[in-house]
Amino acid sequence: MTDPNRTTFSPAFNLPLAGTIMASSSSDFFILGLGVVLAALYLFRDQLFAASKPKTAPIATSKLANGSGNPRDFIAKMKENKKRLVIFYGSQTGTAEEYAIRLAKEAKQKFGLASLVCDPEEYDFENLDQLPEDSAAFFVMATYGEGEPTDNAVQLMQNLQDEAFEFSNGERSLQGLKYVVFGLGNKTYEHYNSIGRAVDTELTKMGAVRIGERGEGDDDKSMEEDYLEWKDGMWEAFATAMGVEEGQGGDSADFVVSELESHPQEKVYLGEFSARALTKTKGIHDAKNPFPAPITVARELFAKTADRNCVHVEFNTEGSGITYQHGDHVGLWPLNPDVEVERLLCVLGLHDKRDTVIGIESLDPALAKVPFPVPTTYGTVLRHYIDISAVAGRQILGTLSKFAPTPEAEAFLKNLNTNKEEYHAVVADGCLKLGEVLQLAAGNSFKGLPTPENTTSWPIPFDIVVSAIPRLQPRYYSISSSPKLHPNTIHATAVVLKYENIPSANVHHKWVYGVGSNFLLNLKHAANGEPVPLMDGGGEERVAVPAYLIEGPRGAYKADNLYKAPIHVRRSTFRLPTNPKSPVIMIGPGTGVAPFRGFVQERVALARRSIEKNGPDALADWGRISLFYGCRKSTEDYLYADEWPQYEEELKGKFKLHCAFSREKYKPDGSKIYVQDLLWEDKEHIADAILNGKGYVYICGEAKNMSKQVEDVLARILGEAKGGSAEVEGVAELKLLKERSRLMLDVWS
């Protein structure tokens, strides 16, 4: 798929061939003409010969410079730092990078082998064939979108898959190179782990030898469990292939944490994400430097009678330099709720040291970078920088058992670490965060508010905490507006995540709250001056929403009664066709309708300009935009119900909305009506729009059931329209639509 952010450059000049040199017997003319040609060849040599160059990678700087002189030469870095393993990761959200670092740490602990962990964007691959025989390459590759490589792995995949690409030996050969592959994907998507599989296939084709089985993690089930099941067998095969024995390494810290007695407060990070944010200097706002966007509108979209919340929020980006397009995603940087911060401060014995300033240094920056800005404080790390609200992983529990306050607590954690079934029953099904697991192991109740008096402290070194718990990541939401109508605001639509755990003998019933959406709900309450129902004095969970420190670091996210939230924009290829004559079919139940609100606004803006320029009949030859939307009840959770009629009016009949209310209208047999049922009812129009009108289809929403069922119905419609079956002709047509970017998905599990 073409990356719209990339520009294809062609030679700037075409060399004019010597046009008509008059025939002459004089040698002066000949010499002069030859001189002109040679001079032109020299001047424009780059333009003439670059086009025929077969490689797609950057210039092979590894052949031109060695050692520390060339920062893109990973072989030189490995030799210089005596590292036998190189670990490349393709990561979009940071998860693959985390697993890459874990593999590096385990190689060091088990075998004493040092690794170079590499972002492939920062290195050249021509010298991959120079990897020494006693070394190995690891590839930890996430699959993004519809079977695409992550942004930082695009060049790597082009190099591996381009038949014209050659390595430093002048051949397309990696004969004997030893490698390991772990892929990260989601089985609810059609192209499950396609990038990890493609890496494996291409390396094998070039003569490389895989160590152990290819690992595949499924984010829809449990990425962590898939990794744990795979890694033990892989390390056994690794030891054999590399001629090493386990036990040659040992436990060693990744970081040194030191308490700083005196440090200027204005230079301490208290939740800021960048030096620019700390010093309040201007700069580009992106994932490394989010913009604290004022919230100008925050309102509830569900009826008061609903047992759920859905927040519509508008972020003001004026003066930030942030731009967006319809279909992009807004990344919201949340923080951990107060109760979880207090819990871990108590568990770690840091309750009275929350504001102590600390410095953190990496003992091996190539293996483990300090994942957040320093110096900072214990409390800030737990609140802003690491993900303490996630369900505790099984592997970390074995590490932490060494620091248990009692033999019983140690045995409890070791059992959870080694007994997969017990871990699932207690931790995974119970939805226990790390602080709750440690409280449970020590015999404390985690039902009430944690305090130093009711919580046993564990002597866990803080460097272990920083190493073991991943960075708190942004939460992404499909932007629900168009810059054509709202150039200075970004709209987001979020259902607030709240669900119940599965209780067991050890774990009581409790509610589980999504970090990002409940952070937004807190902001909505604050922005509107609404009362927030929180935990009562007795600590019982009569909670509508957990409390957050929404004022931000140093109160930076509040000015008078105006609240702000840190955001950035992530680009997407989920776009309308540029030609409004093309029919458009959009399927988005629930908050899956969010990007389609932006799509419709985009067309409304174009319609206004067209009518103003060409008169009332300007939309006559436009293709129809059909939106298939579903929710429970028209009176409860019908999103933007007041807006759709306005859009229909402005688009002069070129916009049609189809609604399925699953708990209001039923089929004759009593079963519920969903969006896929509406598609089937409109099958003649859909088949005509796609097959004859060259229309575009967009699906947004839940991937596991809805998206698959919608695709099944589309295959049935198209298969029958072509005189065949859903399984053959229908599936083939869907595949063709995806290849041509006429069927696009923005789905989540």
Side-chain angles (χ1 to χ4, degrees):
M1 183 180 292
T2 303
D3 186 342
N5 296 318
R6 294 183 182 272
T7 305
T8 303
F9 293 95
S10 56
F13 302 97
N14 290 316
L15 179 68
L17 297 174
T20 21
I21 299 177
M22 298 292 292
S24 172
S25 59
S26 171
S27 61
D28 290 342
F29 282 102
F30 174 78
I31 292 170
L32 180 62
L34 181 61
V36 169
V37 171
L38 290 174
L41 284 170
Y42 178 79
L43 286 172
F44 304 123
R45 61 193 185 282
D46 292 336
Q47 286 85 355
L48 275 171
F49 301 118
S52 62
K53 188 173 180 179
K55 297 185 181 182
T56 59
I59 294 173
T61 49
S62 58
K63 300 178 190 175
L64 305 176
N66 289 308
S68 57
N70 178 15
R72 295 186 63 83
D73 187 345
F74 67 88
I75 295 290
K77 282 190 179 180
M78 290 176 69
K79 290 178 180 177
E80 188 178 323
N81 296 290
K82 298 179 180 177
K83 298 178 185 292
R84 289 176 61 185
L85 306 180
V86 58
I87 305 178
F88 297 106
Y89 61 85
S91 187
Q92 196 74 19
T93 62
T95 306
E97 182 180 5
E98 290 166 14
Y99 279 101
I101 292 171
R102 284 176 66 173
L103 286 167
K105 290 178 182 177
E106 291 189 35
K108 186 178 180 182
Q109 291 167 359
K110 289 176 179 288
F111 309 107
L113 296 179
S115 305
L116 181 67
V117 179
C118 297
D119 181 338
E121 215 170 21
E122 299 175 359
Y123 294 90
D124 298 326
F125 289 90
E126 288 88 343
N127 57 356
L128 184 59
D129 60 322
Q130 296 176 21
L131 196 70
E133 286 187 18
D134 66 345
S135 298
F138 284 61
F139 295 85
V140 184
M141 309 300 293
T143 298
Y144 178 62
E146 288 301 295
E148 300 159 20
T150 57
D151 291 344
N152 74 322
V154 170
Q155 187 66 59
L156 167 62
M157 294 309 298
Q158 287 179 355
N159 291 350
L160 291 178
Q161 295 178 320
D162 182 1
E163 293 294 333
F165 179 79
E166 295 174 354
F167 295 97
S168 64
N169 57 14
E171 300 176 1
R172 185 170 167 75
S173 172
L174 294 172
Q175 197 64 40
L177 178 136
K178 294 186 279 291
Y179 73 93
V180 173
V181 175
F182 181 71
L184 296 83
N186 189 309
K187 278 188 176 172
T188 58
Y189 292 78
E190 179 183 352
H191 303 282
Y192 173 64
N193 259 314
S194 63
I195 298 302
R197 294 174 183 180
V199 168
D200 191 19
T201 299
E202 296 300 330
L203 291 174
T204 300
K205 272 201 252 179
M206 290 183 278
V209 180
R210 190 182 66 221
I211 296 174
E213 296 297 318
R214 179 183 67 236
E216 293 190 348
D218 179 13
D219 194 41
D220 182 51
K221 297 267 170 124
S222 174
M223 184 78 70
E224 176 73 5
E225 285 302 322
D226 291 338
Y227 171 78
L228 294 178
E229 288 181 11
W230 164 77
K231 75 180 183 73
D232 290 339
M234 182 277 293
W235 286 129
E236 288 180 18
F238 177 88
T240 302
M242 298 290 288
V244 293
E245 293 183 8
E246 190 166 346
Q248 296 174 2
D251 288 339
S252 59
D254 296 319
F255 305 104
V256 173
V257 178
S258 55
E259 296 183 356
L260 308 179
E261 291 186 7
S262 60
H263 198 87
Q265 277 299 309
E266 68 274 11
K267 295 183 179 180
V268 178
Y269 289 88
L270 298 180
E272 295 88 359
F273 294 104
S274 66
R276 286 197 181 104
L278 182 65
T279 57
K280 294 182 169 58
T281 53
K282 291 185 177 180
I284 296 172
H285 292 290
D286 53 19
K288 295 180 180 178
N289 184 37
F291 173 63
I295 296 172
T296 53
V297 175
R299 57 189 173 92
E300 177 64 53
L301 292 178
F302 286 173
K304 291 181 179 179
T305 54
D307 58 357
R308 301 174 298 152
N309 295 95
C310 185
V311 177
H312 169 89
V313 62
E314 298 179 13
F315 301 104
N316 188 339
T317 58
E318 192 169 2
S320 68
I322 290 178
T323 61
Y324 75 99
Q325 296 296 321
H326 66 281
D328 283 346
H329 300 102
V330 59
L332 171 74
W333 292 79
L335 55 155
N336 290 303
D338 295 351
V339 66
E340 297 309 324
V341 176
E342 290 299 314
R343 192 186 313 280
L344 262 187
L345 284 171
C346 293
V347 167
L348 297 174
L350 298 172
H351 185 268
D352 296 331
K353 300 179 77 173
R354 69 179 68 222
D355 296 325
T356 299
V357 179
I358 57 173
I360 304 177
E361 293 181 28
S362 174
L363 294 175
D364 185 354
L367 172 62
K369 299 175 183 177
V370 179
F372 43 79
V374 288
T376 183
T377 68
Y378 289 120
T380 299
V381 172
L382 299 180
R383 186 180 301 280
H384 293 276
Y385 295 143
I386 61 176
D387 194 358
I388 65 173
S389 299
V391 172
R394 184 157 63 94
Q395 189 171 11
I396 186 182
L397 301 182
T399 302
L400 298 185
S401 67
K402 303 169 188 175
F403 306 100
T406 65
E408 293 78 14
E410 180 181 8
F412 186 83
L413 282 196
K414 283 184 174 178
N415 182 46
L416 292 177
N417 171 245
T418 56
N419 188 328
K420 181 179 175 181
E421 289 72 25
E422 185 71 6
Y423 167 82
H424 272 284
V426 175
V427 181
D429 289 347
C431 300
L432 298 187
K433 306 169 187 70
L434 180 60
E436 292 172 324
V437 174
L438 297 179
Q439 281 186 306
L440 185 63
N444 306 142
S445 170
F446 55 85
K447 196 170 185 180
L449 291 170
T451 66
E453 291 71 35
N454 64 20
T455 304
T456 303
S457 65
W458 294 54
I460 302 171
F462 202 66
D463 65 89
I464 299 289
V465 174
V466 174
S467 297
I469 302 178
R471 177 76 188 262
L472 185 59
Q473 298 291 335
R475 271 48 176 179
Y476 288 100
Y477 302 94
S478 298
I479 293 177
S480 56
S481 57
S482 162
K484 300 290 194 304
L485 291 189
H486 304 281
N488 294 317
T489 57
I490 290 175
H491 299 190
T493 310
V495 164
V496 178
L497 185 62
K498 174 185 173 183
Y499 58 94
E500 297 171 88
N501 73 338
I502 302 174
S504 65
N506 289 315
V507 182
H508 61 76
H509 167 272
K510 68 174 194 133
W511 288 95
V512 183
Y513 302 92
V515 171
S517 58
N518 282 278
F519 175 59
L520 274 179
L521 185 57
N522 247 263
L523 285 167
K524 185 204 75 121
H525 286 312
N528 297 324
E530 300 165 352
V532 184
L534 301 171
M535 215 174 257
D536 69 11
E540 293 297 319
E541 281 201 281
R542 299 192 183 99
V543 191
V545 55
Y548 294 79
L549 187 67
I550 56 175
E551 292 83 3
R554 297 179 170 88
Y557 298 161
K558 184 183 179 185
D560 297 323
N561 292 323
L562 188 68
Y563 285 85
K564 304 175 184 178
I567 65 166
H568 75 279
V569 169
R570 184 175 72 184
R571 303 298 174 194
S572 169
T573 56
F574 201 64
R575 296 274 191 274
L576 279 169
T578 54
N579 187 352
K581 295 179 182 179
S582 301
V584 172
I585 298 162
M586 306 176 295
I587 303 103
T591 52
V593 79
F596 301 138
R597 178 176 181 261
F599 278 32
V600 175
Q601 288 182 359
E602 188 85 0
R603 280 291 187 257
V604 166
L606 181 60
R608 289 175 183 174
R609 291 199 303 272
S610 298
I611 291 171
E612 183 180 348
K613 182 179 179 180
N614 302 314
D617 296 327
L619 313 187
D621 60 349
W622 278 27
R624 192 169 94 183
I625 306 173
S626 300
L627 172 59
F628 293 84
Y629 170 72
C631 62
R632 294 180 181 179
K633 294 182 178 180
S634 60
T635 56
E636 182 179 292
D637 55 352
Y638 185 3
L639 299 181
Y640 304 111
D642 56 329
E643 295 183 17
W644 305 119
Q646 299 172 28
Y647 299 145
E648 284 183 306
E649 184 178 345
E650 289 214 55
L651 288 170
K652 310 296 182 185
K654 295 298 181 179
F655 170 56
K656 183 168 178 59
L657 177 66
H658 305 256
C659 290
F661 302 113
S662 62
R663 300 188 183 181
E664 188 173 294
K665 296 179 181 178
Y666 300 90
K667 297 177 185 176
D669 62 1
S671 59
K672 295 175 181 176
I673 297 176
Y674 295 109
V675 286
Q676 55 267 33
D677 300 307
L678 300 184
L679 286 170
W680 183 250
E681 288 177 6
D682 200 34
K683 59 183 178 181
E684 286 81 9
H685 166 255
I686 288 173
D688 181 64
I690 295 173
L691 298 175
N692 301 322
K694 306 300 180 187
Y696 288 70
V697 183
Y698 301 86
I699 304 172
C700 183
E702 186 266 331
K704 190 171 184 179
N705 297 308
M706 182 279 295
S707 178
K708 186 179 183 305
Q709 290 167 5
V710 165
E711 287 197 54
D712 288 345
V713 170
L714 287 172
R716 185 179 167 196
I717 290 171
L718 296 174
E720 290 190 9
K722 292 177 76 70
S725 67
E727 294 76 16
V728 180
E729 287 81 4
V731 167
E733 190 64 32
L734 286 187
K735 183 180 179 183
L736 190 64
L737 289 173
K738 288 182 178 180
E739 289 172 354
R740 295 178 176 176
S741 298
R742 287 177 49 210
L743 171 55
M744 304 185 74
L745 285 75
D746 182 3
V747 294
W748 57 85
S749 58

